Amino acid sequence: MQVQVSVIVAAYNEEHWLRRCLTSLKKQTLAALEVIIVDDGSTDGTAAICDQYCERWPHLFWVIHQRNQGQGPARNAGITAAHGRYLGFVDADDWVEPTMYATLVATAERSHAQIVVCDVRKIYAATHRTTSLLSLPDATDHVAIATYLKYGLNNAYSGNKLYARSCWQKYRYQRMVYEDLDILLDMLSCCERVAYVQQPFYNYYKHAGSTTLDYTNPRLFDIMTAYQDAIEHAKGTYQDAVTYCVAKRILINLATPGFADYRAEFIELIRQLRPTFEASPSIMSDPAIKKICDYAGQLTLPRRFICEHEDWVQSWHQYSRNFKTTIPVAKALPADLRQRSNHSKLDYWLLQTLFEQGGLLILGPVRLRRPFGRLRAGGDVLAFEGEHCLLVGAQPRSPLVSVLLQQLIGGSETLTELLAMVKAQPERWSAGTHKFRLVDIKDWLQ
């Protein structure tokens, strides 16, 4: 029997959920189906489950065992191996309704659509809550693509779609998180016809192990790349719609508590994309989405670490991208400091570097457990663990840092003592300067 649909299941350490997923595919009413499971170097019982299903139902399931490369490359391996006229994707922790692929294929054949979309049922494991929202108001064999890009739900999600094989002639997933977002808006903008079935055939299981729900995972920085790629690659006809979609999604991200630790990066992305946003008629005519441009004027601290020892910032680099590290070098000293201790001289060089270049002055070894974009979003910041200051963040030519330098040169206190004084009497130190923030850093520490 000629294969009509190849369903690709990329699986990495999914032993708890994989059987449910594969069983739902075994129950499909479409007979001309193959399921390609890509075991992406799993270290638990996933590989054995794959083999069990292939041995018991060899006409339906077959498996590719490969070294771990990530979900995007695993899906690509399945795309290359697929025999079907149409392709579908199911995440290994999700499952689908029995008539999903039969219905989507019938719709594709009738409408001659390159992509057929269905609705998604989301199951939240932590709260035992289920939602199922309509992707569009009405089912149709001829979706208005610009409308779907701008307003459709789950438009940048792989699992709720059936794809003509031709869709994948020029596309492959990247090795990144948000690999769907990175290419699907582009792919949709290149389609001549998209159809929509108004049924929640796809069950999306959101549980604690889901990568995109772990906001401490620095791989989530990939969302910035995905947004940039989506706008850059969109077909000209739908450039405005894709740009509107990206702006709307960024605003949702900014309102999501988990993304607060990426706030500075989102602001910098908006600053970079602002000319594109301002050139979008759809954004400029929508007061709610137009507000995204206001974020471009918000402060973010420079991407620079200043420290005494390189190894102090190892964990900071783990939770950041494109930061430079500066170790201050000995320079000429003010006369009042020449007879002071070497420690005081180092304090001066550290502060002087912060004053000249801006960035984050790291004052001791720390081990972070989450990104720190919230610390960088805004003006100057002092972060304390108890009474000990571990971080001074500042803009170049910061008035606060200028005052600290003056006090260090003219007084007898060390930098540590001066920072303790700032914490004890912040109103005194903010007089005559712009505002600064005092933050308890313990929530960021391991």
Side-chain angles (χ1 to χ4, degrees), residues 124-192:
Y124 298 84
T127 58
H128 305 287
R129 182 170 61 93
T130 298
T131 63
S132 179
L133 302 177
L134 300 181
S135 299
L136 289 169
D138 299 296
T140 176
D141 284 354
H142 199 167
V143 168
I145 295 175
T147 299
Y148 183 55
L149 287 168
K150 289 169 64 175
Y151 306 114
L153 295 184
N154 305 303
N155 52 13
Y157 184 58
S158 291
N160 68 323
K161 298 174 178 67
L162 181 76
Y163 309 82
R165 190 180 188 88
S166 59
C167 290
W168 296 95
Q169 289 179 352
K170 75 168 188 174
Y171 292 101
R172 287 296 185 270
Y173 290 104
Q174 300 297 313
R175 185 175 183 175
M176 61 187 300
V177 182
Y178 300 104
E179 69 280 355
D180 311 61
L181 173 61
D182 188 69
I183 63 171
L184 284 186
L185 299 180
D186 182 14
M187 184 185 290
L188 285 162
S189 72
C190 292
C191 286
E192 294 181 5

Side-chain angles (χ1 to χ4, degrees), residues 44 63 280 302 406:
D44 63 356
V63 64
S280 165
Q406 294 171 23

Side-chain angles (χ1 to χ4, degrees), residues 49-331:
I49 295 170
C50 295
D51 293 338
Q52 289 167 11
Y53 273 76
C54 293
E55 290 170 6
R56 187 167 181 183
W57 296 282
H59 64 286
L60 176 61
F61 296 99
W62 57 289
V63 64
I64 299 171
H65 295 291
Q66 65 177 33
R67 63 180 178 83
N68 180 250
Q69 300 180 53
Q71 179 163 266
R75 286 176 174 173
N76 292 341
I79 293 170
T80 300
H83 300 98
R85 295 175 55 224
Y86 299 97
L87 272 64
F89 301 90
V90 181
D91 288 350
D93 50 356
D94 299 336
W95 69 98
V96 295
E97 297 301 315
T99 59
M100 174 170 171
Y101 288 109
T103 306
L104 298 189
V105 167
T107 304
E109 297 285 284
R110 180 183 66 244
S111 66
H112 304 291
Q114 288 98 348
I115 296 178
V116 183
V117 179
C118 70
D119 295 323
V120 177
R121 181 182 292 108
K122 296 182 179 180
I123 299 95
Y124 298 84
T127 58
H128 305 287
R129 182 170 61 93
T130 298
T131 63
S132 179
L133 302 177
L134 300 181
S135 299
L136 289 169
D138 299 296
T140 176
D141 284 354
H142 199 167
V143 168
I145 295 175
T147 299
Y148 183 55
L149 287 168
K150 289 169 64 175
Y151 306 114
L153 295 184
N154 305 303
N155 52 13
Y157 184 58
S158 291
N160 68 323
K161 298 174 178 67
L162 181 76
Y163 309 82
R165 190 180 188 88
S166 59
C167 290
W168 296 95
Q169 289 179 352
K170 75 168 188 174
Y171 292 101
R172 287 296 185 270
Y173 290 104
Q174 300 297 313
R175 185 175 183 175
M176 61 187 300
V177 182
Y178 300 104
E179 69 280 355
D180 311 61
L181 173 61
D182 188 69
I183 63 171
L184 284 186
L185 299 180
D186 182 14
M187 184 185 290
L188 285 162
S189 72
C190 292
C191 286
E192 294 181 5
R193 181 165 293 193
V194 174
Y196 166 50
V197 175
Q198 200 172 70
Q199 291 289 337
F201 286 134
Y202 193 94
N203 296 287
Y204 179 18
Y205 188 59
K206 298 172 77 71
H207 57 91
S210 301
T211 301
T212 53
L213 289 183
D214 179 10
Y215 294 104
T216 66
N217 188 340
R219 293 177 62 202
L220 297 196
F221 281 115
D222 286 349
I223 198 170
M224 315 296 168
T225 302
Y227 284 141
Q228 290 171 306
D229 287 350
I231 289 179
E232 180 182 345
H233 299 152
K235 186 178 179 181
T237 306
Y238 297 109
Q239 181 77 39
D240 175 63
V242 171
T243 302
Y244 180 93
C245 176
V246 168
K248 184 173 68 171
R249 291 177 69 107
I250 291 174
L251 287 171
I252 293 171
N253 295 147
L254 285 166
T256 302
F259 273 118
D261 286 331
Y262 301 81
R263 187 175 181 84
E265 288 73 26
F266 276 116
I267 292 170
E268 289 162 351
L269 176 65
I270 293 168
R271 195 177 297 149
Q272 178 183 343
L273 295 177
R274 182 176 183 175
T276 304
F277 291 155
E278 291 180 337
S280 165
S282 293
I283 292 175
M284 291 297 103
S285 62
D286 187 329
I289 307 302
K290 183 179 179 180
K291 290 180 180 178
I292 194 169
C293 295
D294 296 341
Y295 285 93
Q298 295 187 11
L299 292 174
T300 56
L301 300 178
R303 297 188 180 212
R304 175 176 286 103
F305 297 124
I306 301 165
C307 58
E308 180 181 351
H309 299 291
E310 177 77 38
D311 58 1
W312 285 2
V313 293
Q314 287 181 358
S315 67
W316 295 87
H317 278 297
Q318 178 185 347
Y319 289 101
S320 63
R321 287 186 175 180
N322 303 319
F323 267 70
K324 296 180 179 178
T325 299
T326 299
I327 309 295
V329 297
K331 300 179 181 178

Side-chain angles (χ1 to χ4, degrees), residues 316 366-370 374-375 382-388 390-391 423 438-446:
W316 295 87
V366 298
R367 291 180 60 84
L368 295 183
R369 62 180 182 88
R370 61 196 297 177
R374 187 151 39 111
L375 296 175
L382 279 69
F384 288 81
E385 182 187 23
E387 298 303 313
H388 183 49
L390 294 178
L391 166 80
K423 183 182 181 185
L438 294 179
V439 176
D440 187 341
I441 202 174
K442 67 181 180 182
D443 287 343
W444 281 268
L445 302 181
Q446 286 190 9

